């Protein structure tokens, strides 16, 4: 059902699915929506039906022990059904989450991103594909990556809590001061996509709108050669 809905719902109503995890994340999201939606509709219909039936029968306000036992059995049955649905969702999402938080492939391209009020400072490795060397490239509010290649973003915050959000990649990660969070993904589609902060981080929060540019491999190599390196930036400094 979720996969069917993903095909039926107009793609214009969703961000493009442009990463290796995106389709599975969408499918899980729709599964949760369907389960919760079915339960909500069933609950509302049952509430209306039982209220209507009670009014027609003009039940006494006195609740007997038999009524309580019958009520208890219904509560346990419905609670068991809810638990089964929760376990089914958990089983479906566990494998996906395990892959999302797993260590990246050894060939993943590392990119360091520092969040601060109110911008993203992005350190790209140069042609040597290693951070902390003289050919690193620093850009503000611009994240450039190659298509079809694993990328690991290493996220830190200089001041307050931010939330790194790439809707098209289905990547969202809170960024806390004093810690480094890492996420990896593989972009499957070249193009330009929004980069946003999903945490209200101050009066200038709206200014933390950046751009993710996914290049084909050749143009990414050209970019690394065209931009001016920032000089030596030692790995681990922040």
């Amino acid at each position: 059902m979720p996969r069917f809905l993903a095909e039926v719902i107009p793609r214009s109503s969703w961000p493009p699915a442009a990463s290796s995890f995106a389709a599975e994340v969408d499918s899980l999201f729709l599964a949760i929506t369907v389960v919760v939606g079915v339960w909500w509709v069933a609950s509302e219909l049952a509430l209306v039906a039982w209220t209507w039936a009670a009014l027609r029968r003009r039940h006494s306000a006195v609740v007997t022990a038999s009524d309580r036992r019958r009520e208890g059995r219904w509560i346990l049955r419905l609670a068991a059904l809810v638990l089964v649905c929760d376990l089914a969702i958990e089983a479906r999402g566990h494998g996906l989450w395990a892959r999302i938080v797993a260590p990246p492939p050894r060939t993943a391209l590392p990119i360091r991103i520092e969040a601060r009020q109110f911008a993203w400072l992005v350190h790209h490795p140069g042609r040597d594909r290693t951070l902390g060397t003289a050919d690193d490239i620093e850009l503000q509010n611009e994240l450039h990556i190659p298509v079809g290649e694993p990328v690991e973003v290493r996220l830190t915050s200089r001041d307050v809590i931010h939330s790194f959000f790439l809707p098209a990649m289905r990547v969202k990660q809170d960024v806390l001061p004093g810690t480094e969070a890492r996420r990896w993904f593989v972009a499957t589609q070249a193009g330009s996509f929004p980069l946003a902060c999903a945490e209200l981080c101050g009066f200038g929060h709206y200014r933390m709108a950046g751009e993710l540019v996914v290049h084909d491999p050749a143009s990414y190599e050209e970019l690394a050669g065209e931009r001016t390196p920032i000089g030596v930036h030692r790995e681990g400094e922040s």
Side-chain angles (χ1 to χ4, degrees), residues 79-108:
L81 282 174
V82 171
L83 179 61
V84 169
C85 292
D86 286 347
L87 292 176
I89 291 172
E90 175 64 23
R92 186 185 180 112
H94 180 74
L96 172 61
W97 180 245
R99 291 196 298 280
I100 289 175
V101 299
R106 297 184 64 180
T107 57

Side-chain angles (χ1 to χ4, degrees), residues 6-46:
E7 296 297 329
V8 170
I9 296 175
R11 295 307 304 178
S12 58
S13 61
W14 291 76
S19 79
S20 54
F21 296 126
E24 288 182 272
V25 171
D26 289 352
S27 180
L28 180 61
F29 177 80
L30 285 171
I32 295 171
T33 302
V34 168
V35 170
V36 173
V38 168
W39 273 109
W40 182 80
V41 171
S43 301
E44 295 301 311
L45 291 176

Side-chain angles (χ1 to χ4, degrees), residues 65-141:
S66 175
D67 292 335
R68 291 191 182 281
R69 285 195 295 273
R70 186 168 59 250
E71 180 181 292
R73 286 194 294 271
W74 271 106
I75 290 174
L76 289 176
R77 288 168 186 160
L78 294 174
L81 282 174
V82 171
L83 179 61
V84 169
C85 292
D86 286 347
L87 292 176
I89 291 172
E90 175 64 23
R92 186 185 180 112
H94 180 74
L96 172 61
W97 180 245
R99 291 196 298 280
I100 289 175
V101 299
R106 297 184 64 180
T107 57
L109 182 70
I111 297 178
R112 180 186 294 114
I113 302 176
E114 182 187 77
R116 62 182 181 185
Q117 293 177 316
F118 298 96
W120 301 100
L121 204 60
V122 184
H123 294 259
H124 302 79
R127 290 184 181 278
D128 61 1
R129 303 173 62 87
T130 302
L131 285 173
T133 58
D135 66 346
D136 285 359
I137 300 168
E138 181 182 282
L139 298 173
Q140 182 168 303
N141 293 334

